[in-house]
Amino acid sequence: MRGFFLVLLCWAAADASTLFQDCGSVGSDVVLNVEGCEVPPCQLKRGEVVDVNFKFTASKDSAGLKIKALANIGGIEFPWVGIDTDGCHYTSCPISAGSHVDWTLPVEILTEYPAISLVVTFKLLDDSGSSQTCALLPATLI
């Protein structure tokens, strides 16, 4: 019986993903994993780098991917400063319809950012501007 619980625990740890609200992904089977966060609000420590990972199945062919990251503070959206917007720097491009994409972006949480609660939007846009992935994620900068 202990062996069963050990296997279950290892499976749960291996399958850890972050709960998020989808905001219009056209890709399918979208999974988000924010390092150190399974249940929002994610605690993002200023001065550290956090890996943000999307796994998804592409809905169409695209030569490139563009990253759009926004911080919603009090209902006002601000671009996430300092993020490289070329998604192909973090996965292989081009992508093909039906292909499985594994994309990881290291996000620097700058010490200049205020300690505040916000909602982060992460999008991966294809060549036509469609959101292959779109995730809303409550977070707290600490």
PDB file of all heavy atoms in Angstrom, residues 94-127:
ATOM      1  N   PRO A  94      10.046  26.850 -37.570  1.00  0.00           N
ATOM      2  CA  PRO A  94       8.603  27.071 -37.559  1.00  0.00           C
ATOM      3  C   PRO A  94       7.860  25.969 -36.799  1.00  0.00           C
ATOM      4  O   PRO A  94       8.426  24.921 -36.510  1.00  0.00           O
ATOM      5  CB  PRO A  94       8.243  27.047 -39.045  1.00  0.00           C
ATOM      6  CG  PRO A  94       9.265  26.157 -39.671  1.00  0.00           C
ATOM      7  CD  PRO A  94      10.532  26.374 -38.871  1.00  0.00           C
ATOM      8  N   ILE A  95       6.567  26.259 -36.501  1.00  0.00           N
ATOM      9  CA  ILE A  95       5.714  25.237 -35.902  1.00  0.00           C
ATOM     10  C   ILE A  95       4.696  24.802 -36.951  1.00  0.00           C
ATOM     11  O   ILE A  95       4.351  25.572 -37.844  1.00  0.00           O
ATOM     12  CB  ILE A  95       5.012  25.726 -34.616  1.00  0.00           C
ATOM     13  CG1 ILE A  95       4.095  26.922 -34.886  1.00  0.00           C
ATOM     14  CG2 ILE A  95       6.041  26.063 -33.537  1.00  0.00           C
ATOM     15  CD1 ILE A  95       3.205  27.295 -33.700  1.00  0.00           C
ATOM     16  N   SER A  96       4.251  23.563 -36.842  1.00  0.00           N
ATOM     17  CA  SER A  96       3.297  23.007 -37.808  1.00  0.00           C
ATOM     18  C   SER A  96       1.988  22.676 -37.107  1.00  0.00           C
ATOM     19  O   SER A  96       1.983  22.294 -35.929  1.00  0.00           O
ATOM     20  CB  SER A  96       3.843  21.715 -38.422  1.00  0.00           C
ATOM     21  OG  SER A  96       5.081  21.958 -39.041  1.00  0.00           O
ATOM     22  N   ALA A  97       0.890  22.811 -37.836  1.00  0.00           N
ATOM     23  CA  ALA A  97      -0.422  22.452 -37.298  1.00  0.00           C
ATOM     24  C   ALA A  97      -0.374  21.019 -36.780  1.00  0.00           C
ATOM     25  O   ALA A  97       0.145  20.127 -37.453  1.00  0.00           O
ATOM     26  CB  ALA A  97      -1.487  22.595 -38.373  1.00  0.00           C
ATOM     27  N   GLY A  98      -0.865  20.805 -35.576  1.00  0.00           N
ATOM     28  CA  GLY A  98      -0.894  19.474 -34.983  1.00  0.00           C
ATOM     29  C   GLY A  98       0.375  19.088 -34.241  1.00  0.00           C
ATOM     30  O   GLY A  98       0.417  18.058 -33.578  1.00  0.00           O
ATOM     31  N   SER A  99       1.427  19.918 -34.348  1.00  0.00           N
ATOM     32  CA  SER A  99       2.680  19.577 -33.658  1.00  0.00           C
ATOM     33  C   SER A  99       2.581  19.967 -32.188  1.00  0.00           C
ATOM     34  O   SER A  99       1.861  20.893 -31.807  1.00  0.00           O
ATOM     35  CB  SER A  99       3.874  20.277 -34.311  1.00  0.00           C
ATOM     36  OG  SER A  99       3.782  21.683 -34.144  1.00  0.00           O
ATOM     37  N   HIS A 100       3.320  19.242 -31.360  1.00  0.00           N
ATOM     38  CA  HIS A 100       3.371  19.526 -29.932  1.00  0.00           C
ATOM     39  C   HIS A 100       4.524  20.507 -29.700  1.00  0.00           C
ATOM     40  O   HIS A 100       5.647  20.264 -30.118  1.00  0.00           O
ATOM     41  CB  HIS A 100       3.569  18.245 -29.130  1.00  0.00           C
ATOM     42  CG  HIS A 100       2.439  17.284 -29.310  1.00  0.00           C
ATOM     43  ND1 HIS A 100       1.208  17.477 -28.719  1.00  0.00           N
ATOM     44  CD2 HIS A 100       2.330  16.153 -30.026  1.00  0.00           C
ATOM     45  CE1 HIS A 100       0.403  16.494 -29.067  1.00  0.00           C
ATOM     46  NE2 HIS A 100       1.057  15.674 -29.867  1.00  0.00           N
ATOM     47  N   VAL A 101       4.214  21.609 -29.054  1.00  0.00           N
ATOM     48  CA  VAL A 101       5.191  22.665 -28.813  1.00  0.00           C
ATOM     49  C   VAL A 101       5.485  22.734 -27.319  1.00  0.00           C
ATOM     50  O   VAL A 101       4.573  22.709 -26.496  1.00  0.00           O
ATOM     51  CB  VAL A 101       4.673  24.033 -29.317  1.00  0.00           C
ATOM     52  CG1 VAL A 101       5.696  25.130 -29.070  1.00  0.00           C
ATOM     53  CG2 VAL A 101       4.314  23.957 -30.802  1.00  0.00           C
ATOM     54  N   ASP A 102       6.767  22.790 -26.988  1.00  0.00           N
ATOM     55  CA  ASP A 102       7.228  22.920 -25.601  1.00  0.00           C
ATOM     56  C   ASP A 102       8.081  24.178 -25.556  1.00  0.00           C
ATOM     57  O   ASP A 102       9.159  24.230 -26.135  1.00  0.00           O
ATOM     58  CB  ASP A 102       8.034  21.675 -25.208  1.00  0.00           C
ATOM     59  CG  ASP A 102       8.372  21.631 -23.727  1.00  0.00           C
ATOM     60  OD1 ASP A 102       8.238  22.663 -23.033  1.00  0.00           O
ATOM     61  OD2 ASP A 102       8.789  20.554 -23.265  1.00  0.00           O
ATOM     62  N   TRP A 103       7.579  25.209 -24.898  1.00  0.00           N
ATOM     63  CA  TRP A 103       8.175  26.541 -24.925  1.00  0.00           C
ATOM     64  C   TRP A 103       8.441  27.007 -23.498  1.00  0.00           C
ATOM     65  O   TRP A 103       7.545  26.950 -22.656  1.00  0.00           O
ATOM     66  CB  TRP A 103       7.200  27.473 -25.637  1.00  0.00           C
ATOM     67  CG  TRP A 103       7.529  28.919 -25.631  1.00  0.00           C
ATOM     68  CD1 TRP A 103       8.266  29.586 -26.569  1.00  0.00           C
ATOM     69  CD2 TRP A 103       7.138  29.901 -24.667  1.00  0.00           C
ATOM     70  NE1 TRP A 103       8.346  30.924 -26.233  1.00  0.00           N
ATOM     71  CE2 TRP A 103       7.654  31.132 -25.065  1.00  0.00           C
ATOM     72  CE3 TRP A 103       6.400  29.844 -23.496  1.00  0.00           C
ATOM     73  CZ2 TRP A 103       7.466  32.305 -24.350  1.00  0.00           C
ATOM     74  CZ3 TRP A 103       6.206  31.009 -22.771  1.00  0.00           C
ATOM     75  CH2 TRP A 103       6.735  32.223 -23.206  1.00  0.00           C
ATOM     76  N   THR A 104       9.658  27.444 -23.203  1.00  0.00           N
ATOM     77  CA  THR A 104       9.997  27.924 -21.860  1.00  0.00           C
ATOM     78  C   THR A 104      10.692  29.274 -21.957  1.00  0.00           C
ATOM     79  O   THR A 104      11.667  29.433 -22.680  1.00  0.00           O
ATOM     80  CB  THR A 104      10.911  26.925 -21.119  1.00  0.00           C
ATOM     81  OG1 THR A 104      10.237  25.671 -21.021  1.00  0.00           O
ATOM     82  CG2 THR A 104      11.245  27.427 -19.721  1.00  0.00           C
ATOM     83  N   LEU A 105      10.171  30.236 -21.196  1.00  0.00           N
ATOM     84  CA  LEU A 105      10.724  31.581 -21.154  1.00  0.00           C
ATOM     85  C   LEU A 105      11.212  31.882 -19.744  1.00  0.00           C
ATOM     86  O   LEU A 105      10.431  31.804 -18.790  1.00  0.00           O
ATOM     87  CB  LEU A 105       9.642  32.603 -21.526  1.00  0.00           C
ATOM     88  CG  LEU A 105      10.012  34.082 -21.362  1.00  0.00           C
ATOM     89  CD1 LEU A 105      11.042  34.500 -22.411  1.00  0.00           C
ATOM     90  CD2 LEU A 105       8.767  34.950 -21.473  1.00  0.00           C
ATOM     91  N   PRO A 106      12.500  32.222 -19.578  1.00  0.00           N
ATOM     92  CA  PRO A 106      12.959  32.692 -18.271  1.00  0.00           C
ATOM     93  C   PRO A 106      12.527  34.156 -18.088  1.00  0.00           C
ATOM     94  O   PRO A 106      12.862  35.009 -18.904  1.00  0.00           O
ATOM     95  CB  PRO A 106      14.480  32.555 -18.349  1.00  0.00           C
ATOM     96  CG  PRO A 106      14.804  32.563 -19.810  1.00  0.00           C
ATOM     97  CD  PRO A 106      13.581  32.097 -20.549  1.00  0.00           C
ATOM     98  N   VAL A 107      11.746  34.411 -17.045  1.00  0.00           N
ATOM     99  CA  VAL A 107      11.223  35.754 -16.788  1.00  0.00           C
ATOM    100  C   VAL A 107      11.942  36.343 -15.581  1.00  0.00           C
ATOM    101  O   VAL A 107      11.872  35.789 -14.484  1.00  0.00           O
ATOM    102  CB  VAL A 107       9.698  35.722 -16.538  1.00  0.00           C
ATOM    103  CG1 VAL A 107       9.180  37.115 -16.203  1.00  0.00           C
ATOM    104  CG2 VAL A 107       8.970  35.149 -17.745  1.00  0.00           C
ATOM    105  N   GLU A 108      12.611  37.462 -15.806  1.00  0.00           N
ATOM    106  CA  GLU A 108      13.304  38.138 -14.713  1.00  0.00           C
ATOM    107  C   GLU A 108      12.306  39.038 -13.975  1.00  0.00           C
ATOM    108  O   GLU A 108      11.640  39.874 -14.587  1.00  0.00           O
ATOM    109  CB  GLU A 108      14.462  38.974 -15.249  1.00  0.00           C
ATOM    110  CG  GLU A 108      15.282  39.608 -14.150  1.00  0.00           C
ATOM    111  CD  GLU A 108      16.505  40.347 -14.674  1.00  0.00           C
ATOM    112  OE1 GLU A 108      16.701  40.416 -15.903  1.00  0.00           O
ATOM    113  OE2 GLU A 108      17.266  40.855 -13.830  1.00  0.00           O
ATOM    114  N   ILE A 109      12.197  38.831 -12.663  1.00  0.00           N
ATOM    115  CA  ILE A 109      11.347  39.666 -11.821  1.00  0.00           C
ATOM    116  C   ILE A 109      12.268  40.759 -11.269  1.00  0.00           C
ATOM    117  O   ILE A 109      13.026  40.529 -10.328  1.00  0.00           O
ATOM    118  CB  ILE A 109      10.696  38.851 -10.679  1.00  0.00           C
ATOM    119  CG1 ILE A 109      10.066  37.544 -11.204  1.00  0.00           C
ATOM    120  CG2 ILE A 109       9.685  39.707  -9.934  1.00  0.00           C
ATOM    121  CD1 ILE A 109       9.010  37.717 -12.268  1.00  0.00           C
ATOM    122  N   LEU A 110      12.234  41.907 -11.891  1.00  0.00           N
ATOM    123  CA  LEU A 110      13.175  42.974 -11.567  1.00  0.00           C
ATOM    124  C   LEU A 110      12.963  43.514 -10.155  1.00  0.00           C
ATOM    125  O   LEU A 110      11.832  43.620  -9.686  1.00  0.00           O
ATOM    126  CB  LEU A 110      13.054  44.118 -12.576  1.00  0.00           C
ATOM    127  CG  LEU A 110      13.344  43.769 -14.039  1.00  0.00           C
ATOM    128  CD1 LEU A 110      13.107  44.979 -14.937  1.00  0.00           C
ATOM    129  CD2 LEU A 110      14.758  43.249 -14.205  1.00  0.00           C
ATOM    130  N   THR A 111      14.060  43.863  -9.504  1.00  0.00           N
ATOM    131  CA  THR A 111      13.974  44.417  -8.147  1.00  0.00           C
ATOM    132  C   THR A 111      13.295  45.788  -8.167  1.00  0.00           C
ATOM    133  O   THR A 111      12.754  46.219  -7.145  1.00  0.00           O
ATOM    134  CB  THR A 111      15.375  44.550  -7.509  1.00  0.00           C
ATOM    135  OG1 THR A 111      16.209  45.337  -8.368  1.00  0.00           O
ATOM    136  CG2 THR A 111      16.003  43.193  -7.287  1.00  0.00           C
ATOM    137  N   GLU A 112      13.277  46.450  -9.327  1.00  0.00           N
ATOM    138  CA  GLU A 112      12.625  47.761  -9.445  1.00  0.00           C
ATOM    139  C   GLU A 112      11.101  47.665  -9.414  1.00  0.00           C
ATOM    140  O   GLU A 112      10.427  48.671  -9.199  1.00  0.00           O
ATOM    141  CB  GLU A 112      13.046  48.464 -10.745  1.00  0.00           C
ATOM    142  CG  GLU A 112      14.515  48.831 -10.823  1.00  0.00           C
ATOM    143  CD  GLU A 112      15.403  47.678 -11.294  1.00  0.00           C
ATOM    144  OE1 GLU A 112      14.886  46.631 -11.715  1.00  0.00           O
ATOM    145  OE2 GLU A 112      16.631  47.836 -11.217  1.00  0.00           O
ATOM    146  N   TYR A 113      10.559  46.474  -9.682  1.00  0.00           N
ATOM    147  CA  TYR A 113       9.107  46.312  -9.648  1.00  0.00           C
ATOM    148  C   TYR A 113       8.614  46.501  -8.222  1.00  0.00           C
ATOM    149  O   TYR A 113       9.244  46.048  -7.271  1.00  0.00           O
ATOM    150  CB  TYR A 113       8.693  44.928 -10.128  1.00  0.00           C
ATOM    151  CG  TYR A 113       9.003  44.606 -11.574  1.00  0.00           C
ATOM    152  CD1 TYR A 113       9.091  43.282 -11.985  1.00  0.00           C
ATOM    153  CD2 TYR A 113       9.182  45.589 -12.536  1.00  0.00           C
ATOM    154  CE1 TYR A 113       9.357  42.952 -13.295  1.00  0.00           C
ATOM    155  CE2 TYR A 113       9.459  45.263 -13.849  1.00  0.00           C
ATOM    156  CZ  TYR A 113       9.535  43.945 -14.224  1.00  0.00           C
ATOM    157  OH  TYR A 113       9.796  43.617 -15.524  1.00  0.00           O
ATOM    158  N   PRO A 114       7.453  47.137  -8.050  1.00  0.00           N
ATOM    159  CA  PRO A 114       6.909  47.293  -6.696  1.00  0.00           C
ATOM    160  C   PRO A 114       6.335  45.963  -6.183  1.00  0.00           C
ATOM    161  O   PRO A 114       5.946  45.105  -6.973  1.00  0.00           O
ATOM    162  CB  PRO A 114       5.787  48.320  -6.895  1.00  0.00           C
ATOM    163  CG  PRO A 114       5.370  48.154  -8.322  1.00  0.00           C
ATOM    164  CD  PRO A 114       6.624  47.769  -9.074  1.00  0.00           C
ATOM    165  N   ALA A 115       6.301  45.819  -4.873  1.00  0.00           N
ATOM    166  CA  ALA A 115       5.621  44.664  -4.261  1.00  0.00           C
ATOM    167  C   ALA A 115       4.123  44.934  -4.394  1.00  0.00           C
ATOM    168  O   ALA A 115       3.601  45.870  -3.787  1.00  0.00           O
ATOM    169  CB  ALA A 115       6.037  44.525  -2.805  1.00  0.00           C
ATOM    170  N   ILE A 116       3.452  44.132  -5.244  1.00  0.00           N
ATOM    171  CA  ILE A 116       2.065  44.425  -5.597  1.00  0.00           C
ATOM    172  C   ILE A 116       1.371  43.163  -6.092  1.00  0.00           C
ATOM    173  O   ILE A 116       2.020  42.234  -6.570  1.00  0.00           O
ATOM    174  CB  ILE A 116       2.034  45.540  -6.683  1.00  0.00           C
ATOM    175  CG1 ILE A 116       0.644  46.115  -6.854  1.00  0.00           C
ATOM    176  CG2 ILE A 116       2.603  45.039  -7.991  1.00  0.00           C
ATOM    177  CD1 ILE A 116       0.616  47.394  -7.679  1.00  0.00           C
ATOM    178  N   SER A 117       0.058  43.133  -5.993  1.00  0.00           N
ATOM    179  CA  SER A 117      -0.739  42.060  -6.595  1.00  0.00           C
ATOM    180  C   SER A 117      -1.174  42.495  -7.990  1.00  0.00           C
ATOM    181  O   SER A 117      -1.489  43.673  -8.208  1.00  0.00           O
ATOM    182  CB  SER A 117      -1.969  41.756  -5.733  1.00  0.00           C
ATOM    183  OG  SER A 117      -1.569  41.224  -4.499  1.00  0.00           O
ATOM    184  N   LEU A 118      -1.181  41.568  -8.920  1.00  0.00           N
ATOM    185  CA  LEU A 118      -1.515  41.871 -10.303  1.00  0.00           C
ATOM    186  C   LEU A 118      -2.024  40.622 -10.992  1.00  0.00           C
ATOM    187  O   LEU A 118      -1.985  39.529 -10.423  1.00  0.00           O
ATOM    188  CB  LEU A 118      -0.282  42.411 -11.041  1.00  0.00           C
ATOM    189  CG  LEU A 118       0.892  41.451 -11.212  1.00  0.00           C
ATOM    190  CD1 LEU A 118       1.698  41.841 -12.443  1.00  0.00           C
ATOM    191  CD2 LEU A 118       1.797  41.495 -10.000  1.00  0.00           C
ATOM    192  N   VAL A 119      -2.505  40.784 -12.213  1.00  0.00           N
ATOM    193  CA  VAL A 119      -2.867  39.654 -13.065  1.00  0.00           C
ATOM    194  C   VAL A 119      -1.958  39.716 -14.282  1.00  0.00           C
ATOM    195  O   VAL A 119      -1.893  40.742 -14.972  1.00  0.00           O
ATOM    196  CB  VAL A 119      -4.350  39.700 -13.488  1.00  0.00           C
ATOM    197  CG1 VAL A 119      -4.667  38.545 -14.437  1.00  0.00           C
ATOM    198  CG2 VAL A 119      -5.259  39.644 -12.260  1.00  0.00           C
ATOM    199  N   VAL A 120      -1.249  38.622 -14.520  1.00  0.00           N
ATOM    200  CA  VAL A 120      -0.314  38.552 -15.642  1.00  0.00           C
ATOM    201  C   VAL A 120      -1.000  37.844 -16.812  1.00  0.00           C
ATOM    202  O   VAL A 120      -1.704  36.856 -16.620  1.00  0.00           O
ATOM    203  CB  VAL A 120       0.965  37.778 -15.239  1.00  0.00           C
ATOM    204  CG1 VAL A 120       1.940  37.713 -16.403  1.00  0.00           C
ATOM    205  CG2 VAL A 120       1.616  38.412 -14.020  1.00  0.00           C
ATOM    206  N   THR A 121      -0.814  38.379 -18.006  1.00  0.00           N
ATOM    207  CA  THR A 121      -1.279  37.733 -19.234  1.00  0.00           C
ATOM    208  C   THR A 121      -0.054  37.314 -20.027  1.00  0.00           C
ATOM    209  O   THR A 121       0.815  38.138 -20.304  1.00  0.00           O
ATOM    210  CB  THR A 121      -2.134  38.686 -20.089  1.00  0.00           C
ATOM    211  OG1 THR A 121      -3.229  39.155 -19.320  1.00  0.00           O
ATOM    212  CG2 THR A 121      -2.645  37.985 -21.339  1.00  0.00           C
ATOM    213  N   PHE A 122       0.013  36.019 -20.363  1.00  0.00           N
ATOM    214  CA  PHE A 122       1.058  35.510 -21.246  1.00  0.00           C
ATOM    215  C   PHE A 122       0.390  34.989 -22.510  1.00  0.00           C
ATOM    216  O   PHE A 122      -0.522  34.165 -22.445  1.00  0.00           O
ATOM    217  CB  PHE A 122       1.822  34.340 -20.602  1.00  0.00           C
ATOM    218  CG  PHE A 122       2.770  34.738 -19.521  1.00  0.00           C
ATOM    219  CD1 PHE A 122       2.502  34.414 -18.201  1.00  0.00           C
ATOM    220  CD2 PHE A 122       3.948  35.418 -19.814  1.00  0.00           C
ATOM    221  CE1 PHE A 122       3.378  34.769 -17.193  1.00  0.00           C
ATOM    222  CE2 PHE A 122       4.829  35.781 -18.812  1.00  0.00           C
ATOM    223  CZ  PHE A 122       4.543  35.451 -17.498  1.00  0.00           C
ATOM    224  N   LYS A 123       0.850  35.481 -23.667  1.00  0.00           N
ATOM    225  CA  LYS A 123       0.327  35.023 -24.962  1.00  0.00           C
ATOM    226  C   LYS A 123       1.487  34.636 -25.873  1.00  0.00           C
ATOM    227  O   LYS A 123       2.529  35.276 -25.862  1.00  0.00           O
ATOM    228  CB  LYS A 123      -0.460  36.124 -25.675  1.00  0.00           C
ATOM    229  CG  LYS A 123      -1.716  36.558 -24.992  1.00  0.00           C
ATOM    230  CD  LYS A 123      -2.418  37.636 -25.814  1.00  0.00           C
ATOM    231  CE  LYS A 123      -3.686  38.111 -25.149  1.00  0.00           C
ATOM    232  NZ  LYS A 123      -4.403  39.076 -26.003  1.00  0.00           N
ATOM    233  N   LEU A 124       1.261  33.602 -26.669  1.00  0.00           N
ATOM    234  CA  LEU A 124       2.148  33.261 -27.777  1.00  0.00           C
ATOM    235  C   LEU A 124       1.343  33.460 -29.051  1.00  0.00           C
ATOM    236  O   LEU A 124       0.367  32.735 -29.293  1.00  0.00           O
ATOM    237  CB  LEU A 124       2.625  31.807 -27.678  1.00  0.00           C
ATOM    238  CG  LEU A 124       3.725  31.526 -26.678  1.00  0.00           C
ATOM    239  CD1 LEU A 124       4.023  30.026 -26.622  1.00  0.00           C
ATOM    240  CD2 LEU A 124       4.980  32.295 -27.025  1.00  0.00           C
ATOM    241  N   LEU A 125       1.726  34.442 -29.838  1.00  0.00           N
ATOM    242  CA  LEU A 125       0.993  34.798 -31.048  1.00  0.00           C
ATOM    243  C   LEU A 125       1.662  34.186 -32.275  1.00  0.00           C
ATOM    244  O   LEU A 125       2.887  34.256 -32.418  1.00  0.00           O
ATOM    245  CB  LEU A 125       0.943  36.319 -31.198  1.00  0.00           C
ATOM    246  CG  LEU A 125       0.388  37.098 -30.000  1.00  0.00           C
ATOM    247  CD1 LEU A 125       0.578  38.594 -30.210  1.00  0.00           C
ATOM    248  CD2 LEU A 125      -1.061  36.757 -29.766  1.00  0.00           C
ATOM    249  N   ASP A 126       0.848  33.620 -33.166  1.00  0.00           N
ATOM    250  CA  ASP A 126       1.392  33.068 -34.405  1.00  0.00           C
ATOM    251  C   ASP A 126       1.501  34.178 -35.453  1.00  0.00           C
ATOM    252  O   ASP A 126       1.232  35.348 -35.171  1.00  0.00           O
ATOM    253  CB  ASP A 126       0.557  31.875 -34.890  1.00  0.00           C
ATOM    254  CG  ASP A 126      -0.901  32.227 -35.161  1.00  0.00           C
ATOM    255  OD1 ASP A 126      -1.187  33.385 -35.531  1.00  0.00           O
ATOM    256  OD2 ASP A 126      -1.758  31.337 -35.001  1.00  0.00           O
ATOM    257  N   ASP A 127       1.900  33.818 -36.667  1.00  0.00           N
ATOM    258  CA  ASP A 127       2.117  34.806 -37.731  1.00  0.00           C
ATOM    259  C   ASP A 127       0.866  35.622 -38.060  1.00  0.00           C
ATOM    260  O   ASP A 127       0.969  36.768 -38.483  1.00  0.00           O
ATOM    261  CB  ASP A 127       2.608  34.126 -39.010  1.00  0.00           C
ATOM    262  CG  ASP A 127       4.029  33.619 -38.886  1.00  0.00           C
ATOM    263  OD1 ASP A 127       4.778  34.128 -38.038  1.00  0.00           O
ATOM    264  OD2 ASP A 127       4.384  32.695 -39.652  1.00  0.00           O
TER     265      ASP A 127
END
